[in-house]
Each structure stands twice: as structure tokens, then as C-alpha cells.
Amino acid sequence: MSSISFFRPANLSEACELLAKPNHLAVAGGTDLIVKLRNGLFPNAAALVDISALPFKSIRKEGDRLIIGSGCTMSSVIASPEVNEYFPVLVKAASTVGATQIRNAATLGGNVANASPAGDTIPALFALEAEVLIVGQTGKRKVAIDEFFTGPGRSVLKAGELIEGFALPLRKTSGAFLKLGERRAHAISKINLALNVFNDGQKRYRIAIGSAAPTVLRCKSAEELLEKAGEIDAATLEKAAEFACETAKPISDVRSSKSYRKQMAGVLLKRALKAVI
Ligand SMILES: Cc1cc2nc3c(=O)[nH]c(=O)nc-3n(C[C@H](O)[C@H](O)[C@H](O)COP(=O)(O)OP(=O)(O)OC[C@H]3O[C@@H](n4cnc5c(N)ncnc54)[C@H](O)[C@@H]3O)c2cc1C
């Protein structure tokens, strides 16, 4: 690591210019990147570009949306009155990331840009229909969260681009986030699930499952079932759980088996629904 250059640009154009150069890596909280560097996953890394001085740390209302800066840490998301008022599922997901020290450094942008299928805030952002706000040398663009990921560790971000923040439609919601790991805390998800209910007029359900495929999956069959059902009885719960199991397309790996993950997708959905209805 000693031969890697380090930059701390004070403005966006300088940051994007640096990041367009080969093997220049953005670092926010460093809780994913530094671990990967130490494990030799970036043997050609030429420079670290610390983006923590960029104006990505605010949480603000803009018209009918809440904009959460990509540089907001999990702790600041958890402490935000607006996020608590409108998006409880995101507060719950951020609360499960690592332990306090990690949550004080880990950013929402880093969790998403890292593009792990097990990233805990990603299903919550899917369930909230977030848009990813991207900035680069040629300007700004936005991408729906469910179109952002192209595979494990991969996304539509191009060289020289950064996530500026996330736009979430300001609607009253209720939600639950559940995760299964090796331990109750400080563990990577074997499987996780976010349930969000938009409470504006007719209830609309959004369900997203993580660690169950190369990228987070929406469980649209269960969403439609719940919307049509109106009242959720035991039979509807069972059917929704069945749909969650069918939707999950996990693999077996060091953390869990394919069959356990599939079965637990249904169990988590039932638990989440019971917590919310
Ligand atoms: C002990 C430990 C426990 C953990 N527990 C969990 C857990 O329970 N759940 C979980 O989901 N994760 C967990 N993590 C992983 C990590 O903490 C999170 O993914 C965190 O949110 C990453 O954010 P960061 O700011 O540290 O990202 P960094 O490490 O700085 O960056 C991660 C990646 O994102 C890129 N990046 C960062 N910010 C931007 C941006 N604004 N635009 C474009 N690219 C960007 C970087 O270039 C890098 O590729 C854990 C990590 C550790 C070390």
C-alpha cells in the first residue's frame, strides 16, 4: 500500500477528473475498500481519492423528495428526524450494519457503490423506490435503484462518476428490515429482506430480498398478492411466503446453503408482514 498516492479533492470537478484516471479508487468511509486493498483485491491500485470533503453529507427536502447525500454515514441516517419520520425501513436496515464504530464511518453511498448482493441498505432503498443521483465530468444523471446494479460488485457507474446521493419520494411509509447472519450483530447477511408499505391511499407493498441472487431482487408476485388481498389473513401470509421462496435464486457458499436461504426468504417475509400489519 505504500506506493499508492492519496488525494483529498476539495471540489467535485477535481474529484471526477482524478477518478477518471486508471486505477484511481474513490474512498468514503473506507470500511469496504481498505479491507479489500489489504486483502490484495486491487493489486494495480495507483491512487486513493478521498471523497469525504465533498458536499455529499446533507439530508434535505427538495420538493416532494428527500435527498440523502451519499456521504451520510449509517449513524447520521439513523439519527435523521426526516428519515425516521418517512422511511423507517431504511433506519432499520442502517441500524444492522456492523457495530457502532463501523456505522460511524460507513456511508450509504459506499454500501451501494460496493454493490454487494448482501449490502444491507440496498433492499431498503429498492423497497423505497429510490433513485441514485450520479455526478460525473459530463454532468449529472439519475438511475432507478433497481437498474443500478449489473452484477455482484458491479454497477452502471462509469470511470470518473460518483454517487452524489439518493432521492426518495416523500410519502408516509411503514416498514421492516430483517436479516439473518452468523451472529445477531456484526455479521454479513446470509439473507436479508426489506418490506415497505406506502400508506398513501391504497396500501402498496414493496418487498426486496438480498443475498438471494447476484443482485437484490424485488418479489413482485408477493407485492401483487398483498395488494389484491386487502386484509392479510393466514392463507395470504403463507402464499406470500411461498412467492418469496420462489423468487429467491440463491447459491450455496461459505455463509449458507441455497436451500436454507430459499426457505428463509419466506420466513423473513412472514415475520416482516406480521411486524408491519
Ligand atoms: C467489520 C465490518 C462489518 C461490516 N458489517 C456490515 C453489515 O452488517 N452490513 C453491510 O451491508 N455492510 C457491512 N460492512 C461493509 C461496509 O461497512 C459497508 O458496505 C459500508 O456502507 C461501506 O461504506 P464506506 O463509506 O466505508 O465505503 P468505502 O469502503 O469507502 O467504499 C466502498 C466502495 O464504494 C465506492 N464508493 C464509496 N463512496 C462512493 C460514492 N459516493 N460514489 C461512488 N463510489 C463510491 C468505493 O470506491 C469502493 O469501491 C462491514 C464492514 C466491516 C469492516
Side-chain angles (χ1 to χ4, degrees):
M1 277 178 74
S2 54
S3 61
I4 298 176
S5 305
F6 186 85
F7 298 96
R8 193 164 190 262
N11 62 61
L12 259 176
S13 60
E14 197 190 329
C16 294
E17 196 183 317
L18 282 164
L19 287 166
K21 295 182 183 174
N23 300 312
H24 281 49
L25 309 172
V27 59
T31 60
D32 269 317
L33 189 78
I34 302 301
V35 177
K36 286 185 177 172
L37 269 176
R38 286 201 171 136
N39 289 340
L41 294 183
F42 295 109
N44 301 321
L48 293 185
V49 180
D50 176 2
I51 58 171
S52 62
L54 300 181
F56 290 166
K57 292 186 181 162
S58 67
I59 298 180
R60 61 186 191 280
K61 285 184 183 172
E62 250 182 43
D64 57 358
R65 306 180 311 166
L66 189 74
I67 309 293
I68 306 179
S70 62
C72 290
T73 61
M74 299 300 162
S75 298
S76 56
V77 167
I78 295 163
S80 157
E82 291 89 352
V83 182
N84 276 275
E85 183 180 352
Y86 289 97
F87 310 121
V89 67
L90 184 57
V91 175
K92 287 171 187 160
S95 305
T96 72
V97 173
T100 308
Q101 293 97 324
I102 292 292
R103 290 193 289 274
N104 285 344
T107 64
L108 195 59
N111 199 234
V112 171
N114 192 49
S116 162
D120 283 320
T121 63
I122 300 172
L125 292 169
F126 265 63
L128 289 167
E129 300 183 334
E131 276 185 328
V132 186
L133 308 177
I134 298 171
V135 61
Q137 282 179 302
T138 52
K140 298 187 181 214
R141 63 189 179 112
K142 49 188 176 190
V143 175
I145 187 87
D146 56 1
E147 290 170 10
F148 181 78
F149 303 97
T150 53
R154 295 202 310 273
S155 72
V156 300
L157 273 187
K158 298 179 195 144
E161 284 189 326
L162 283 167
I163 301 175
E164 195 176 16
F166 303 92
L168 282 79
L170 270 175
R171 290 176 291 207
K172 285 276 184 188
T173 67
S174 45
F177 176 82
L178 295 170
K179 113 182 196 183
L180 285 180
E182 203 54 44
R183 298 172 296 275
R184 293 181 73 182
H186 233 307
I188 302 176
S189 290
K190 292 171 192 269
I191 184 146
N192 59 25
L193 182 141
L195 165 69
N196 179 50
V197 188
F198 289 110
N199 293 321
D200 42 0
Q202 200 201 349
K203 279 188 174 175
R204 292 189 302 114
Y205 294 82
R206 291 292 175 266
I207 300 158
I209 311 173
S211 247
T215 59
V216 167
L217 296 170
R218 278 265 302 277
C219 185
K220 293 189 180 175
S221 48
E223 293 172 2
E224 280 162 24
L225 172 84
L226 294 164
E227 268 155 35
K228 282 191 191 133
E231 191 139 330
I232 297 171
D233 57 16
T236 311
L237 267 183
E238 288 305 323
K239 191 71 196 161
E242 214 178 282
F243 283 147
C245 296
E246 277 170 25
T247 301
K249 304 276 182 292
I251 53 164
S252 295
D253 63 15
V254 286
R255 290 202 301 281
S256 193
S257 70
K258 177 179 170 172
S259 61
Y260 180 73
R261 283 184 160 125
K262 236 177 155 21
Q263 202 183 334
M264 291 316 288
V267 172
L268 290 189
L269 179 56
K270 274 199 281 187
R271 285 184 191 161
L273 282 166
K274 283 180 187 164
V276 165
I277 56 179

